[in-house]
Amino acid sequence: MSMTSLKRAARKIDWLVRCILLLLTGGCLTLLVTWVWSDNATNYLLRSDAAISKQYISVPDNFQLLVEQSFSCPPCPDVQSIDGLETTGYVDLGVINCSINGAETIECREDKGQVYIPASFINNYFEVYGNVKREGSSRVYNFQHGYGKVYPVQPVYHPGGVFLNFEKYNVETRDKIICVTASHGVPLVSQWDPAGYYYAITVAQYGLSHHAKGILSGNPVPKPVAGGDVTASVWENVESGMSVEIVETSTALGTRKVLAFNAPESVTSPGPVLRLNTIEQTVCMDLQLNSPGGVTMQILTKEGKLGFIHFTLDDAHMVVNGNHVIYGMGQRNLGKWVHLARDVDVDWLKSLGRTKFNAPTCFMEIVDVTLHGTGFLDNVTISTSAHNDHLIHAADWLVISQDSQGGWPTSTGMKTGDNIELKPGWYSAMGQGQAISTLVRAYNLTGQKSYLDTVVAALHLYQLGSHEGGVRARFLDQLDWYEEYPTTPTSTFVLNGFIFAMLGLYDAMKTLDGEGQILAEKLWSSGLHSLKKMLGMYDTGTGTLYDLRHVINHEQPNRARWDYHTTHIALIEEMAIIDGDPIFRSTFNRWVDYFYGKRSKHN
Amino acid sequence: MSMTSLKRAARKIDWLVRCILLLLTGGCLTLLVTWVWSDNATNYLLRSDAAISKQYISVPDNFQLLVEQSFSCPPCPDVQSIDGLETTGYVDLGVINCSINGAETIECREDKGQVYIPASFINNYFEVYGNVKREGSSRVYNFQHGYGKVYPVQPVYHPGGVFLNFEKYNVETRDKIICVTASHGVPLVSQWDPAGYYYAITVAQYGLSHHAKGILSGNPVPKPVAGGDVTASVWENVESGMSVEIVETSTALGTRKVLAFNAPESVTSPGPVLRLNTIEQTVCMDLQLNSPGGVTMQILTKEGKLGFIHFTLDDAHMVVNGNHVIYGMGQRNLGKWVHLARDVDVDWLKSLGRTKFNAPTCFMEIVDVTLHGTGFLDNVTISTSAHNDHLIHAADWLVISQDSQGGWPTSTGMKTGDNIELKPGWYSAMGQGQAISTLVRAYNLTGQKSYLDTVVAALHLYQLGSHEGGVRARFLDQLDWYEEYPTTPTSTFVLNGFIFAMLGLYDAMKTLDGEGQILAEKLWSSGLHSLKKMLGMYDTGTGTLYDLRHVINHEQPNRARWDYHTTHIALIEEMAIIDGDPIFRSTFNRWVDYFYGKRSKHN
């Protein structure tokens, strides 16, 4: 080797070190190794790019200087000539083309005889998920077969207990929920109508989720802060022309002491103020307004801004104006007692149009409560939650909203396929079931018999065929199926809605007595027979199907996406617990396996 | 930079070039790029392995010498120290760990922000296929979603036409076929009994596949080479005590001229020889042996070896002794005319125990035919195939083997699950159907009515339930299903066997007249109704299911492996052609998509 070639080689080493260190600075983790050699005829540049964690290399002290020098190094990936030697091209080391089913070609990698396929292709092709995560000081690529999570249900099921795994449901923060109304204390849905409407399934799930949370997280004892039993002296800012005083008033339950107030009617005017300065976000109260006016809660956000949440007699459910939001209880409640149970953080969040809790704009503290107009106030409490109040609000809405058929009709019709439709005013067996499960729990909590009257009435539609305006389909004119979507002329046989309808029947059967009990048990038994006969049809060996449209209407199979698959898993686990038939347990185990990518055998 | 460090750097370059070239020799395509540098405190060794195609590098002339030197280079991947400098460790550039569903960790690669997952993991995890193939001068990794191939069926179906895509079937060369016997000219199966037995489905498929090949590849006109109509002078080696002469003999069809021969009885003795020296591998003849003896075909293999295939009156189907193989026609054929239609290449292959044609041991030429013992010979022909003869042999075997129930019972019982079984002597609806399709084609070819009598008799078992020893199941006691495996106490509802049974009914319905026609049409209509109701149950949205054991017995779904899936595709395409209902066509299209990895939508 001549001195010239030695020098040239050394210069290349120097250049490489500088390039490497350039890339290492600024937290860059991509290391470029480049190798060049030449004879007199041709020059060769080979390149290999790869990522390494900086942890593997302790950059020695004396390399600092080189780093500073290296800024004049040309951008490494684009280097095509060095020392005036022209290169004829370069290759990415380890690149191999992959032909996908002979139809398309993607670029893969090869290393030590193993071919590597891009994760982005795999994720798209196989509908799986992955992302790079930092674990301690190293980085790991997390491959996930499904998204979401399998949440177990409680080991025992009973009609007063946790419903399914509903403690994991957060109904009111979902996208499609406009707000929890002040008039009924239940969520308003925008899914099929942006103006908002009440949907029995959503109302029931709101009640059931809070009921489950209450059991598993506890229902905190609310702290009374003002009201008929305490002194009125806590109220501040009682200016001239305003008053707060304890008075006796007669109610249906007898005479009781409440706080009477009188103040300007405008919710932006001053009024008597009750200072709270609490981070507990739930305020409950009984309120009777005898004039326009209302109650204002002033809140402080985490970013230090103020917000004003007004509860008035407006008919509009929610009106937002800057940092003021009005929740309307409705004109009809003038002169009537209304029970408010407000998660103020949710009220604030919804006023922002936000669907998820978000730190910068999030509620931090209730500053105070201000009174407007003329009325009575009682039982003001603060707490971290009011789960049972939400359950009762849901149940009460179901009681007053049930129609003469015993159902909760949906006014929006739907077309679910060619000539397959739901006519406006349709009922859902899932709605009936979820309503029953809610009402039974409200009954178990309060002992109030009227809830059970609503339950008995709700059984009626289970007996009516979809063609008769009911919710019952029959598979091969033989097996009863309670339809989440009782489409006509052909049925849909949605699995999850059916089991929700069944759980309602189970709750009714175990809670009612007399004819209601007999009817509920008959409907349950008939449905259980169907489920055992038909369950396998939803099992693909790698996942589950949402419905049977592929059997009934010869459409393409409607594969359940992962969140429905995990719902199927929870529902079938609940059936295993309730019924004990080993087919439910073995199906449950298999469906859990599918979630983690394990398939059934092939022949 | 000192002279010492320059020298050291140059030596490293030299070492690297030698390592690279070492790896490039012997067709090795793995390139190792290693980079080492050090300061006074620590030494660093960075490594990157990657595969490149040799095409990218034209190795210059002056490197040849270095290659020869390089054999003393230490094994590159394990190098940890150079020049006496100890290294503190190394990293594989671009390695990133992949956590699989949080349950296991595999080693992946990372390059330019993209993660790459090993193909070996993907293949196993997702049940897909891949291999590296050379395409011209480059290498490509072929990713295949399924194995096998989707073969189309003919655009029109009729009972005398090609059955399904059976021109692609090669029944007699399958693993489980011992040989095609000389006594019946049909394949002998070893699947459930190594001693061998005849299985109606295999016999029928042998006939149907040759029938299909005959239509699509043509039935070559056989060339007469010797026999009653030609001179006997072509026979050589007619030594003292032997004779060949044309004589008149009376047959059922009247008097005809045949070749009478007389020679030593031992098949290894000399005898009259007919030289053929033909590469056409199919020899047909009518042979009557009136003493022990037989016919020997001498063949030449591609590797220049001789083989001797003897057709005798032995009862053993096939006896192999070195390069001699005896095919027995059975003692019962003494003094009777036997029609031989031999694919000599297959006869030779089977004597070797080979299942696939294999060049070095493969048949190349029929050298000659030698006669032994006393008997008559007629209609000796050579050709490249005798497809129709094979169909007739299959049909004739079906005629003589049909039992009093009209079926072809299987003597081996089976257990297909817990307490689910097939008792010895069971019939298969698939067997009935495939037999009918064969017989109808033999009738269409010959006009021989006796084939149709067998067809009519074969319809009987379609009407008998599995519990009564028949082949008919009923889904939900309602939908007739013709069972490939009529298991009791519960049914299996195998899809492919059912459609094969249906195609037999269609062939019967379109060929028979009178009561047979009426019965076949009734059975067809009933089955068609069931298929339309139940077809969706076999569709998983990503593939198909083999049967309904998951619905009936709550077992795990029995996913159809790819060769069954492609059979499903062909069968449903045939149904689309025959029936015209668009559900068959749309299902066909979807199932083809699945084969290429396209799935149905999820909800």
Side-chain angles (χ1 to χ4, degrees):
Chain A
M1 220 176 211
S2 69
M3 186 60 198
T4 311
S5 60
L6 269 176
K7 269 185 180 166
R8 177 181 288 164
R11 216 174 307 142
K12 282 170 193 162
I13 294 168
D14 180 41
W15 177 85
L16 277 169
V17 170
R18 281 190 287 128
C19 283
I20 290 162
L21 289 171
L22 173 66
L23 288 163
L24 285 173
T25 58
C28 170
L29 295 164
T30 302
L31 180 68
L32 181 78
V33 177
T34 303
W35 183 254
V36 187
W37 81 95
S38 75
D39 62 356
N40 290 333
T42 324
N43 308 313
Y44 302 92
L45 173 59
L46 301 181
R47 259 190 23 188
S48 160
D49 297 354
I52 57 164
S53 171
K54 198 171 176 176
Q55 63 161 334
Y56 291 115
I57 305 176
S58 324
V59 181
D61 290 341
N62 64 322
F63 286 176
Q64 291 302 320
L65 189 59
L66 291 173
V67 170
E68 285 169 14
Q69 292 171 342
S70 72
F71 285 99
S72 61
C73 177
C76 304
D78 299 319
V79 170
Q80 293 282 324
S81 72
I82 304 148
D83 277 14
L85 297 172
E86 291 302 310
T87 61
T88 55
Y90 66 86
V91 293
D92 280 54
L93 294 188
V95 171
I96 185 169
N97 279 333
C98 289
S99 162
I100 306 299
N101 297 316
E104 55 167 328
T105 300
I106 61 170
E107 196 184 79
C108 295
R109 293 291 182 271
E110 194 175 16
D111 189 13
K112 295 174 188 155
Q114 170 72 265
V115 171
Y116 293 83
I117 302 175
S120 58
F121 168 79
I122 297 297
N123 292 347
N124 183 54
Y125 187 91
F126 291 108
E127 297 176 356
V128 292
Y129 307 87
N131 59 338
V132 175
K133 277 192 183 165
R134 187 161 283 282
E135 282 192 3
S137 58
S138 64
R139 295 160 68 249
V140 169
Y141 182 78
N142 269 297
F143 171 101
Q144 285 290 337
H145 192 78
Y147 61 80
K149 210 174 159 185
V150 175
Y151 292 112
V153 303
Q154 298 301 305
V156 176
Y157 183 87
H158 64 93
V162 170
F163 185 86
L164 212 67
N165 50 17
F166 269 32
E167 74 278 8
K168 302 292 181 192
Y169 280 46
N170 291 303
V171 175
E172 58 271 32
T173 58
R174 287 179 192 160
D175 272 358
K176 62 181 183 184
I177 303 300
I178 298 171
C179 66
V180 176
T181 67
S183 50
H184 290 292
V186 297
L188 194 71
V189 184
S190 63
Q191 190 170 20
W192 294 319
D193 180 357
Y197 58 96
Y198 294 115
Y199 189 54
I201 291 177
T202 308
V203 170
Q205 293 196 343
Y206 173 72
L208 288 168
S209 67
H210 280 288
H211 176 256
K213 287 173 203 282
I215 292 176
L216 294 173
S217 313
N219 278 296
V221 179
K223 297 169 211 53
V225 290
D229 297 336
V230 299
T231 170
S233 64
V234 296
W235 293 88
E236 302 174 9
N237 287 17
V238 187
E239 294 172 11
S240 163
M242 305 179 194
S243 67
V244 284
E245 55 179 334
I246 303 296
V247 299
E248 287 211 338
T249 185
S250 57
T251 71
L253 297 167
T255 308
R256 72 176 200 224
K257 286 187 178 172
V258 301
L259 189 88
F261 61 89
N262 181 30
E265 290 178 357
S266 166
V267 294
T268 53
S269 298
V273 170
L274 176 68
R275 300 219 171 272
L276 293 177
N277 293 106
T278 173
I279 57 162
E280 299 195 359
Q281 72 274 39
T282 302
V283 177
C284 295
M285 63 181 68
D286 293 315
L287 176 66
Q288 178 180 314
L289 288 175
N290 294 319
S291 78
V295 170
T296 298
M297 298 187 197
Q298 187 183 193
I299 65 137
L300 184 66
T301 69
K302 285 182 178 160
E303 56 185 351
K305 291 189 176 166
L306 292 176
F308 301 90
I309 306 172
H310 311 286
F311 297 90
T312 71
L313 291 174
D314 283 23
D315 284 327
H317 291 301
M318 183 176 73
V319 177
V320 181
N321 187 1
N323 60 343
H324 288 260
V325 53
I326 294 169
Y327 282 92
M329 298 182 289
Q331 300 266 15
R332 66 182 166 78
N333 279 315
L334 177 70
K336 292 184 186 155
W337 282 103
V338 174
H339 181 65
L340 292 177
R342 308 306 299 182
D343 292 334
V344 176
D345 51 349
V346 174
D347 287 341
W348 180 242
L349 191 81
K350 290 295 175 181
S351 79
L352 299 168
R354 296 291 178 102
T355 54
K356 293 256 157 69
F357 285 90
N358 187 318
T361 54
C362 189
F363 161 87
M364 193 178 79
E365 179 186 310
I366 306 175
V367 179
D368 56 33
V369 172
T370 307
L371 302 174
H372 311 284
T374 306
F376 300 123
L377 188 67
D378 197 9
N379 301 322
V380 181
T381 62
I382 55 168
S383 54
T384 53
S385 61
H387 296 312
N388 284 343
D389 295 61
H390 300 329
L391 172 70
I392 299 302
H393 269 141
D396 287 347
W397 181 87
L398 290 166
V399 169
I400 62 163
S401 306
Q402 191 177 42
D403 74 3
S404 61
Q405 293 268 70
W408 292 269
T410 302
S411 55
T412 314
M414 282 205 289
K415 263 187 105 75
T416 64
D418 283 348
N419 301 317
I420 301 159
E421 59 177 349
L422 288 165
K423 298 205 177 77
W426 60 280
Y427 301 101
S428 168
M430 178 167 170
Q432 301 298 111
Q434 293 274 271
I436 292 172
S437 293
T438 306
L439 291 159
V440 162
R441 279 161 181 78
Y443 165 74
N444 276 311
L445 204 65
T446 62
Q448 199 175 305
K449 283 279 182 192
S450 63
Y451 291 130
L452 296 190
D453 297 339
T454 311
V455 168
V456 172
L459 297 175
H460 170 64
L461 286 167
Y462 280 87
Q463 303 171 275
L464 280 190
S466 304
H467 290 274
E468 308 164 290
V471 301
R472 196 214 60 232
R474 279 208 171 113
F475 184 74
L476 285 180
D477 299 323
Q478 189 177 130
L479 299 172
D480 284 348
W481 193 266
Y482 310 123
E483 288 269 85
E484 177 171 348
Y485 302 105
T487 49
T488 54
T490 57
S491 303
T492 314
F493 299 100
V494 173
L495 178 61
N496 81 90
F498 173 82
I499 304 181
F500 280 118
M502 285 289 287
L503 292 175
L505 289 176
Y506 183 81
D507 288 337
M509 171 176 102
K510 292 293 181 187
T511 309
L512 298 176
D513 51 24
E515 284 182 19
Q517 195 279 333
I518 291 165
L519 176 57
E521 186 158 356
K522 186 180 136 228
L523 293 168
W524 161 264
S525 301
S526 179
L528 190 61
H529 176 71
S530 304
L531 184 59
K532 290 180 183 181
K533 286 276 185 196
M534 295 169 66
L535 184 58
M537 294 184 208
Y538 298 89
D539 192 333
T540 69
T542 61
T544 48
L545 299 174
Y546 180 78
D547 56 31
L548 298 187
R549 65 181 62 185
H550 59 300
V551 177
I552 306 303
N553 294 319
H554 299 101
E555 295 175 54
Q556 59 179 302
N558 190 14
R559 293 184 298 119
R561 59 177 197 253
W562 287 115
D563 43 3
Y564 275 102
H565 183 67
T566 52
T567 301
H568 287 164
I569 288 172
L571 287 166
I572 219 67
E573 186 180 18
E574 202 72 285
M575 288 305 299
I577 287 166
I578 290 174
D579 183 62
D581 189 319
I583 69 165
F584 292 125
R585 181 59 61 184
S586 62
T587 299
F588 164 75
N589 289 333
R590 199 164 55 241
W591 290 4
V592 171
D593 281 348
Y594 297 164
F595 184 74
Y596 296 109
K598 199 180 157 201
R599 304 163 171 224
S600 74
K601 286 182 196 152
H602 61 64
N603 71 327
Chain B
M1 221 177 212
S2 69
M3 186 60 199
T4 312
S5 61
L6 269 177
K7 271 188 181 165
R8 179 182 287 165
R11 216 174 306 141
K12 282 170 193 162
I13 293 169
D14 180 41
W15 177 86
L16 277 169
V17 170
R18 278 190 289 128
C19 282
I20 290 163
L21 290 171
L22 173 66
L23 289 163
L24 284 174
T25 59
C28 170
L29 296 163
T30 302
L31 178 68
L32 180 79
V33 178
T34 304
W35 182 254
V36 188
W37 81 95
S38 75
D39 61 356
N40 291 334
T42 325
N43 309 312
Y44 302 91
L45 173 60
L46 301 181
R47 258 190 26 187
S48 160
D49 297 353
I52 57 164
S53 171
K54 198 170 175 176
Q55 64 161 330
Y56 291 117
I57 304 176
S58 323
V59 180
D61 290 341
N62 64 322
F63 288 175
Q64 290 304 320
L65 187 61
L66 291 172
V67 170
E68 284 169 15
Q69 292 170 341
S70 71
F71 285 98
S72 61
C73 176
C76 305
D78 299 318
V79 169
Q80 292 284 324
S81 73
I82 303 148
D83 278 15
L85 297 171
E86 290 303 311
T87 61
T88 54
Y90 67 87
V91 292
D92 279 55
L93 294 189
V95 171
I96 185 169
N97 279 333
C98 288
S99 162
I100 307 299
N101 296 316
E104 55 166 329
T105 299
I106 61 170
E107 197 184 78
C108 296
R109 292 291 182 271
E110 195 176 17
D111 188 14
K112 297 174 188 152
Q114 170 71 266
V115 171
Y116 293 83
I117 302 175
S120 57
F121 168 79
I122 297 297
N123 291 348
N124 183 54
Y125 187 90
F126 291 108
E127 298 176 355
V128 291
Y129 306 87
N131 60 337
V132 176
K133 277 192 183 165
R134 187 162 282 281
E135 282 192 2
S137 59
S138 63
R139 295 160 69 250
V140 169
Y141 182 77
N142 268 298
F143 171 101
Q144 285 292 336
H145 193 77
Y147 60 80
K149 208 172 160 187
V150 176
Y151 291 112
V153 302
Q154 296 302 305
V156 175
Y157 183 86
H158 64 94
V162 170
F163 185 86
L164 212 67
N165 50 16
F166 269 32
E167 74 277 8
K168 301 294 181 191
Y169 279 46
N170 291 302
V171 175
E172 59 270 31
T173 58
R174 287 180 191 159
D175 272 358
K176 62 180 183 184
I177 303 300
I178 297 171
C179 66
V180 176
T181 66
S183 51
H184 289 291
V186 296
L188 193 71
V189 185
S190 62
Q191 190 171 19
W192 295 321
D193 180 356
Y197 58 97
Y198 293 116
Y199 188 54
I201 292 176
T202 308
V203 170
Q205 293 196 342
Y206 173 72
L208 288 169
S209 67
H210 280 289
H211 177 256
K213 286 173 204 282
I215 292 177
L216 294 174
S217 314
N219 278 295
V221 179
K223 297 169 212 49
V225 290
D229 297 336
V230 297
T231 171
S233 64
V234 296
W235 293 89
E236 302 173 11
N237 287 17
V238 188
E239 294 173 12
S240 165
M242 305 178 194
S243 67
V244 284
E245 54 180 333
I246 304 295
V247 299
E248 287 211 339
T249 184
S250 59
T251 72
L253 296 167
T255 308
R256 72 176 198 221
K257 285 185 179 173
V258 300
L259 188 89
F261 61 87
N262 180 31
E265 290 179 356
S266 164
V267 293
T268 52
S269 298
V273 169
L274 175 68
R275 301 221 171 272
L276 294 179
N277 293 108
T278 174
I279 57 163
E280 298 195 359
Q281 72 273 40
T282 302
V283 177
C284 296
M285 64 182 68
D286 293 316
L287 176 66
Q288 178 179 315
L289 287 176
N290 294 318
S291 79
V295 169
T296 296
M297 297 187 198
Q298 187 182 191
I299 65 137
L300 183 67
T301 70
K302 285 181 178 161
E303 56 185 350
K305 290 188 177 169
L306 291 176
F308 300 90
I309 306 172
H310 310 287
F311 297 90
T312 71
L313 290 175
D314 283 23
D315 284 328
H317 291 301
M318 184 176 74
V319 177
V320 180
N321 187 1
N323 59 343
H324 287 260
V325 53
I326 293 170
Y327 282 93
M329 298 183 289
Q331 300 266 13
R332 65 180 166 79
N333 279 315
L334 177 69
K336 291 183 187 158
W337 281 103
V338 174
H339 180 65
L340 292 177
R342 309 305 301 180
D343 291 334
V344 177
D345 51 350
V346 173
D347 286 340
W348 179 243
L349 191 81
K350 289 294 174 182
S351 79
L352 300 167
R354 294 291 179 101
T355 54
K356 294 258 158 67
F357 285 90
N358 187 319
T361 55
C362 189
F363 162 86
M364 192 176 81
E365 178 187 311
I366 306 175
V367 178
D368 56 32
V369 172
T370 307
L371 303 174
H372 310 286
T374 306
F376 300 123
L377 188 67
D378 196 9
N379 302 321
V380 180
T381 62
I382 55 170
S383 54
T384 53
S385 61
H387 298 311
N388 284 343
D389 295 60
H390 300 329
L391 171 70
I392 300 302
H393 269 141
D396 287 347
W397 181 88
L398 290 166
V399 169
I400 62 163
S401 306
Q402 190 178 41
D403 74 4
S404 61
Q405 294 269 71
W408 293 269
T410 302
S411 55
T412 315
M414 282 204 292
K415 265 186 104 76
T416 64
D418 283 350
N419 301 317
I420 301 160
E421 60 179 347
L422 287 166
K423 297 205 177 78
W426 60 278
Y427 301 101
S428 167
M430 178 168 169
Q432 301 298 112
Q434 293 275 270
I436 291 171
S437 293
T438 306
L439 291 159
V440 163
R441 279 162 181 76
Y443 165 75
N444 276 311
L445 205 64
T446 63
Q448 198 175 305
K449 283 278 182 195
S450 63
Y451 291 130
L452 296 190
D453 297 339
T454 310
V455 169
V456 172
L459 297 175
H460 171 63
L461 287 166
Y462 280 87
Q463 303 171 275
L464 280 190
S466 304
H467 289 273
E468 308 164 290
V471 300
R472 196 212 61 232
R474 281 208 170 112
F475 185 73
L476 286 180
D477 298 323
Q478 189 177 132
L479 299 173
D480 284 348
W481 194 265
Y482 309 122
E483 288 269 86
E484 178 171 349
Y485 302 106
T487 50
T488 54
T490 56
S491 302
T492 314
F493 299 101
V494 173
L495 178 61
N496 81 90
F498 172 82
I499 304 182
F500 279 118
M502 286 290 287
L503 292 175
L505 288 177
Y506 183 80
D507 288 336
M509 170 175 102
K510 292 294 181 187
T511 309
L512 298 176
D513 51 24
E515 284 183 20
Q517 195 280 334
I518 291 164
L519 175 57
E521 185 158 355
K522 188 181 135 225
L523 294 167
W524 161 265
S525 301
S526 180
L528 190 62
H529 176 72
S530 303
L531 184 59
K532 290 180 182 181
K533 287 277 184 196
M534 296 169 66
L535 184 59
M537 295 184 207
Y538 297 89
D539 192 333
T540 69
T542 61
T544 49
L545 299 174
Y546 180 78
D547 56 30
L548 297 187
R549 66 181 61 185
H550 59 299
V551 177
I552 306 303
N553 294 319
H554 298 103
E555 296 175 53
Q556 58 179 299
N558 190 15
R559 293 184 298 118
R561 60 177 197 253
W562 288 116
D563 43 3
Y564 275 101
H565 182 68
T566 51
T567 301
H568 288 164
I569 288 172
L571 288 166
I572 220 67
E573 187 182 16
E574 202 73 284
M575 289 304 299
I577 288 166
I578 290 174
D579 184 60
D581 188 319
I583 69 166
F584 292 126
R585 181 59 60 184
S586 62
T587 300
F588 163 76
N589 290 333
R590 199 164 56 241
W591 291 4
V592 171
D593 281 347
Y594 298 164
F595 184 75
Y596 298 109
K598 198 179 157 201
R599 305 163 170 223
S600 74
K601 287 183 195 150
H602 60 64
N603 71 330

